């Protein structure tokens, strides 16, 4: 298939997707927590309590006992579509809000701050008030009526974006508080919510506009449809760890409990917090005992988050250091080591290190030389076997990819050289070789193959599935910036979109949050032959075939590689997002199945096989054009 014809076909597919979107919902996705009833615009949402305001350090962290008693929900009833000057905000909390007797929860609205201001300026609101207590110290209300509209005529105008926040003060007289505080002295009673954004007169939550905080973001910013997380500012390394913005209340607890499983050390039973958590989470003794010893005698790693650092991947270790988080899949079906070489535990099967890097140079048409390198893995203590190295991929958007209808993938395969991998009677979607068809299948495989966990209870598997499925996708931040727009054109000119399909539409999912969403994952979920250079060296018929890697959140995967804990300490009120974003943009990145590519240029130049034409065209680009292309890719 020539480049021009392939591009035409892809554009026709995208136009068809756009038409179906117009017929079935808006260009972002159906809303499950928003509706209009009797002319009242109703918006609901789930709150994950935060230690600090949105534009401060510690906003993105999960606080101690996040899985227990910390849920909260809100509802906005906007009467302006009926011509009334009235908005009612209702808050419900799981933990009673009576730390100071009769205080309850606080409410702020009409954002007047500057994300780059001082501590007070970053979280400044025109309206700050105590909510009216409705009952049980878990039910509160705040009304913006005629007086509020008269005092703030421009800010409360129909069509304007309204930003608001809640603040919590958990009572210490609650029966569970003393137990929590005794077990973990880091326990906290005061919290904040996220900043929430709505458009007055319409139902539904909006996301942060990175370019202009007081204006609604463009539809292109919603990379994960309505699941897109609202903001990524001060702690960019945590962008892959946030819940879907449209998370429904009935799924909130499963998501939080699932995260606790994701952070469980399957050997010791302890909770493994992130390196930057200065107030770590600690399981109660009975919880730790129930989780202890779930790993087998042989494994590669002992928890989900020890491979998927900040829900991304893990960098390769230095030469000579043991390799655990990059696993070696075994191509020989008769291998005594099973499907994967286990490198840790009392029954470990061998030791893996990187002995050296094999390098060669590729010269572009303008004379630029790019060094390509490939890690050479050494195995000691195990029988000689054919291996296929696999680095851990980022896990965000998995539930959305599972919700893409089979017929969509079949349709994409008809117009490209991509290959559907069948797993039983299902289409494979996950893993470097598309070897798993569902999130649950992928979870089970990782638990067994990576950690030696033979079985988790049914409720644990349900919770783990909810967590992985309902993680929100980070937004694009500068889709309208001139260099990004020019880079997008180059992406299409190179015909990259033939495999890295920019837009897909989900179908029905058991999670309503994921249904009928327009998403931008930049994958077709098909296997493609990438040529001898990317072959894993095995005799398998799939040796040079790889599932198209999703490109969404590429910048966030880089940011997740290092949380800069030594540079940006927790609680530092002087830090702004300009500081942290600049630092995170310098984090190392390792791309492709074995982490060999240290840059976007390297990753592109390793492509061969079906991508040979695109690589040839890339080599002919000028330095400026390559820079524009990278601006686009780093914005995804």
């Amino acid at each position: 298939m020539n480049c021009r014809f392939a591009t035409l076909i892809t554009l026709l597919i995208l136009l068809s997707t756009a038409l179906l979107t117009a017929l079935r919902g808006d260009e972002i996705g159906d809303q499950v927590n928003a509706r209009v009833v009797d002319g009242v615009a109703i918006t609901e949402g789930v709150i994950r309590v935060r230690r600090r305001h949105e534009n401060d350090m510690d906003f993105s962290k999960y606080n101690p006992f996040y899985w227990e008693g910390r849920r909260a929900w809100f509802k906005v009833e906007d009467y302006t579509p009926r011509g009334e000057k009235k908005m009612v905000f209702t808050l419900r909390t799981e933990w009673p809000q009576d730390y100071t007797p009769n205080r309850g929860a606080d409410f702020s609205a009409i954002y007047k701050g500057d994300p780059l201001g001082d501590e007070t300026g970053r979280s400044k609101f025109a309206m700050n008030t105590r909510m009216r207590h409705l009952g049980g110290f878990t039910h509160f209300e705040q009304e913006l009526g005629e007086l509020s509209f008269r005092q703030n005529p421009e800010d409360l105008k129909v069509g304007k974006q309204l930003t608001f926040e809640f603040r919590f003060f958990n009572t210490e007289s609650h029966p569970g508080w003393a137990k929590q505080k005794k077990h973990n002295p880091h326990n906290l009673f005061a919290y904040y919510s996220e900043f929430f954004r709505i458009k007055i007169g319409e139902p539904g939550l909006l996301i942060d506009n990175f370019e202009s905080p007081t204006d609604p973001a463009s539809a292109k910013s919603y990379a994960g449809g309505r699941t897109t997380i609202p903001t990524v500012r001060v702690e960019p390394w945590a962008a892959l760890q946030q819940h879907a913005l449209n998370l429904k209340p009935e799924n909130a607890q499963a998501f939080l409990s699932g995260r606790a499983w994701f952070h469980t050390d399957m050997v010791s039973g302890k909770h493994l917090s992130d390196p930057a958590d200065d107030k770590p989470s600690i399981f109660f003794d009975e919880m730790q005992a129930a989780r202890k010893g779930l790993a087998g005698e042989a494994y590669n790693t002992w928890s989900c988050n020890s491979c998927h650092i900040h829900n991304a991947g893990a960098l390769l270790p230095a030469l000579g250091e043991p390799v655990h988080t990059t696993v070696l899949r075994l191509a020989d079906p008769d291998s005594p080591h099973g499907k994967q070489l286990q490198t840790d535990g009392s029954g470990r099967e061998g030791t893996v290190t990187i002995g050296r890097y094999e390098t060669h140079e590729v010269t572009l048409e303008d004379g630029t030389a790019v060094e390509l390198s490939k890690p050479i893995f050494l195995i000691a203590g195990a029988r000689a076997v054919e291996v296929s190295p696999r680095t851990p991929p980022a896990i965000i958007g998995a539930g959305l990819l599972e919700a893409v209808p089979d017929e969509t993938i079949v349709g994409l395969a008809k117009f490209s050289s991509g290959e559907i991998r069948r797993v039983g009677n299902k289409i494979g979607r996950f893993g470097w070789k598309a070897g798993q068809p569902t999130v649950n299948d992928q979870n089970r495989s990782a638990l067994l193959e990576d950690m030696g966990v033979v079985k988790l209870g049914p409720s644990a598997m349900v919770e783990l599935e909810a967590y992985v499925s309902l993680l929100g996708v980070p937004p694009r931040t500068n889709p309208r910036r001139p260099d990004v727009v020019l880079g997008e054109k180059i992406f299409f000119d190179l015909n990259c979109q033939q495999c890295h399909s920019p837009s897909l539409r989900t179908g029905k999912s058991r999670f309503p949050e994921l249904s009928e969403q327009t998403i931008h994952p930049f994958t077709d979920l098909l296997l493609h032959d990438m040529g001898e250079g990317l072959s894993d060296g095995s005799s398998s018929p799939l040796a040079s075939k790889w599932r198209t890697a999703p490109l969404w959140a590429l910048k966030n995967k880089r940011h997740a590689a290092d949380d800069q804990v030594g540079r940006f300490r927790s609680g530092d009120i002087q830090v702004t997002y300009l500081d942290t974003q600049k630092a995170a943009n310098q984090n190392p990145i390792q791309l492709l199945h074995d982490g060999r590519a240290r840059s976007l240029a390297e990753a592109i130049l390793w492509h061969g096989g079906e991508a040979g034409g695109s690589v040839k065209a890339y080599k002919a680009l000028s330095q400026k054009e390559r820079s524009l292309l990278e601006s686009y890719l780093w914005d995804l």
Side-chain angles (χ1 to χ4, degrees):
M1 184 182 296
N2 66 52
C3 178
R4 183 172 297 175
F5 181 67
T7 300
L8 175 62
I9 291 298
T10 301
L11 290 175
L12 287 173
I13 293 171
L14 294 177
L15 287 172
S16 299
T17 301
L19 176 61
L20 289 173
T21 297
L23 292 172
R24 296 186 295 180
D26 68 19
E27 60 182 328
I28 298 173
D30 287 359
Q31 302 198 60
V32 295
N33 291 334
R35 59 196 183 278
V36 176
V37 179
D38 296 330
V40 179
I42 297 176
T43 301
E44 296 177 293
V46 170
I47 296 169
R48 179 170 76 76
V49 289
R50 314 285 185 143
R51 197 187 312 175
R52 291 291 300 168
H53 297 285
E54 180 180 285
N55 295 310
D56 296 336
M57 283 288 292
D58 302 334
F59 166 75
S60 297
K61 294 179 173 64
Y62 281 78
N63 294 303
F65 298 105
Y66 61 84
W67 62 85
E68 182 170 312
R70 300 300 194 272
R71 291 179 298 167
W73 313 265
F74 71 89
K75 179 169 70 173
V76 182
E77 296 165 284
D78 179 358
Y79 289 79
T80 62
R82 300 202 318 197
E84 300 180 40
K85 293 181 177 180
K86 178 182 175 183
M87 301 179 76
V88 178
F89 298 77
T90 304
L91 173 70
R92 291 182 179 272
T93 65
E94 189 173 11
W95 202 288
Q97 303 299 299
D98 192 25
Y99 178 78
T100 302
N102 302 313
R103 172 164 184 157
D106 287 354
F107 174 80
S108 296
I110 308 177
Y111 183 65
K112 294 294 185 180
D114 176 2
L116 293 174
D118 59 19
E119 180 189 12
T120 302
R122 290 196 297 266
S123 54
K124 184 179 180 180
F125 287 87
M127 182 178 296
N128 300 278
T129 185
R130 187 166 299 163
M131 300 188 77
R132 184 165 68 94
H133 170 234
L134 297 182
F137 291 106
T138 59
H139 190 190
F140 307 90
E141 181 183 271
Q142 179 65 43
E143 180 177 324
L144 305 186
E146 289 275 356
L147 179 61
S148 296
F149 277 77
R150 190 162 60 248
Q151 292 175 336
N152 305 276
E154 290 301 314
D155 295 307
L156 296 181
K157 183 183 296 183
V158 172
K160 290 280 287 186
Q161 177 172 291
L162 176 68
T163 301
F164 58 95
E165 178 194 56
F166 301 96
R167 293 188 296 280
F168 306 90
F169 303 91
N170 290 352
T171 177
E172 294 189 0
S173 62
H174 187 280
W177 185 268
K179 179 181 179 183
Q180 289 187 358
K181 192 70 173 180
K182 181 180 179 181
H183 189 71
N184 187 350
H186 297 297
N187 204 18
L188 303 167
F189 73 87
Y191 295 100
Y192 304 88
S193 76
E194 304 96 320
F195 285 4
F196 293 104
R197 300 163 180 84
I198 59 174
K199 182 183 288 187
I200 298 174
E202 298 180 14
L205 291 171
L206 307 177
I207 66 173
D208 180 22
N209 183 345
F210 203 81
E211 298 169 310
S212 178
T214 57
D215 298 319
S218 69
K220 271 194 170 183
S221 296
Y222 289 78
R226 298 289 175 183
T227 73
T228 306
I229 69 172
T231 192
V232 181
R233 285 194 184 265
V234 186
E235 295 170 299
W237 39 83
L240 304 176
Q241 296 184 291
Q242 311 306 313
H243 67 72
L245 179 59
N246 64 347
L247 183 65
K248 291 182 70 64
E250 55 265 35
N251 289 327
Q253 185 58 54
F255 175 87
L256 294 170
S257 297
R259 185 186 192 271
W261 279 110
F262 199 84
H263 285 251
T264 293
D265 183 329
M266 299 293 180
V267 176
S268 70
K270 295 180 178 180
H271 185 286
L272 292 182
S273 296
D274 295 323
D277 287 343
D278 62 317
K279 292 179 171 57
S281 292
I282 304 172
F283 288 140
F284 288 124
D285 293 345
E286 58 269 26
M287 292 180 67
Q288 180 177 338
R291 295 162 187 250
K292 183 178 181 179
L294 291 174
E297 292 183 352
Y299 47 83
N300 294 107
T301 189
W302 45 88
S303 73
C304 302
N305 71 312
S306 59
C307 261
H308 299 281
I309 308 297
H310 299 129
N311 287 352
L315 298 177
L316 293 168
L319 290 176
E321 294 294 318
V323 176
H324 297 296
T325 56
T326 291
V327 301
L328 300 186
R329 301 290 287 176
L330 305 180
D332 181 2
D334 299 320
S335 168
H337 305 298
K339 295 181 180 179
Q340 188 167 302
L341 190 70
Q342 307 296 327
T343 59
D344 209 344
S346 61
R348 61 182 176 274
E349 299 168 320
T351 300
V352 177
T353 57
I354 301 173
R356 61 185 176 88
Y357 281 87
E358 187 177 272
T359 64
H360 69 279
E361 279 194 353
V362 174
T363 303
L364 309 184
E365 288 191 17
D366 66 0
T368 300
V370 180
E371 183 188 71
L372 303 187
S373 67
K374 174 184 176 181
I376 304 300
F377 295 91
L378 301 180
I379 302 173
R383 197 183 77 177
V385 289
E386 285 188 349
V387 298
S388 178
R390 313 278 176 87
T391 61
I395 65 172
I396 52 98
L400 291 166
L401 294 178
E402 182 179 337
V404 173
D406 284 0
E407 54 265 31
T408 298
I409 302 173
V410 171
L412 289 169
K414 288 180 179 178
F415 293 104
S416 77
S417 52
E419 175 185 328
I420 294 172
R421 184 172 185 185
R422 298 282 178 177
V423 183
N425 61 350
K426 297 179 181 179
I427 291 178
R429 299 162 187 256
F430 302 109
W432 286 102
K433 301 285 189 181
Q436 301 298 338
T438 70
V439 170
N440 208 24
D441 290 328
Q442 179 64 27
N443 288 346
R444 289 185 186 280
S445 173
L447 285 165
L448 178 61
E449 302 297 336
D450 300 345
M451 290 171 273
V453 177
V454 176
K455 185 177 181 180
L456 284 186
S459 62
M461 291 304 301
V462 168
E463 290 164 354
L464 195 56
E465 180 188 17
Y467 175 67
V468 174
S469 297
L470 294 171
L471 285 165
V473 177
R476 291 185 60 184
T477 51
N478 299 290
R480 294 178 291 196
R481 202 173 66 197
D483 60 328
V484 173
V485 174
L486 290 172
E488 181 176 22
K489 181 180 183 302
I490 294 170
F491 182 85
F492 276 81
D493 287 344
L494 295 177
N495 200 33
C496 300
Q497 81 289 345
Q498 184 177 352
C499 301
H500 294 283
S501 300
S503 299
L504 298 172
R505 181 83 177 184
T506 66
K508 293 296 182 183
S509 167
R510 82 172 188 86
F511 297 107
E513 300 92 330
L514 309 178
S515 298
E516 305 298 345
Q517 300 297 307
T518 299
I519 61 175
H520 308 285
F522 292 83
T523 178
D524 58 8
L525 297 173
L526 299 171
L527 291 176
H528 291 273
D529 192 331
M530 291 289 96
E532 185 61 30
L534 280 181
S535 172
D536 61 21
S538 71
S539 57
S540 165
L542 296 180
S544 61
K545 294 180 180 180
W546 303 95
R547 184 201 67 158
T548 305
L551 298 181
W552 57 4
L554 191 60
K555 62 185 177 302
N556 310 106
K557 297 169 189 176
R558 178 175 209 157
H559 293 169
D562 184 356
D563 55 21
Q564 311 281 337
V565 66
R567 183 173 179 181
F568 302 112
R569 61 179 179 81
S570 184
D572 189 342
I573 62 175
Q574 306 300 324
V575 175
T576 71
Y577 77 87
L578 283 186
D579 304 315
T580 56
Q581 294 276 341
K582 182 179 179 180
N585 284 339
Q586 303 305 312
N587 283 349
I589 192 166
Q590 295 174 351
L591 302 169
L592 302 178
H593 65 281
D594 55 3
R596 66 177 66 183
R598 301 157 297 182
S599 67
L600 295 179
E602 289 182 51
I604 294 168
L605 291 170
W606 270 112
H607 283 54
E610 296 173 35
S614 295
V615 174
K616 181 179 180 181
Y618 174 79
K619 291 179 179 178
L621 295 178
S622 67
Q623 190 279 330
K624 181 178 180 181
E625 289 171 322
R626 296 195 301 272
S627 178
L628 291 170
L629 176 63
E630 293 203 7
S631 293
Y632 174 63
L633 294 173
W634 286 126
D635 190 63
L636 300 181

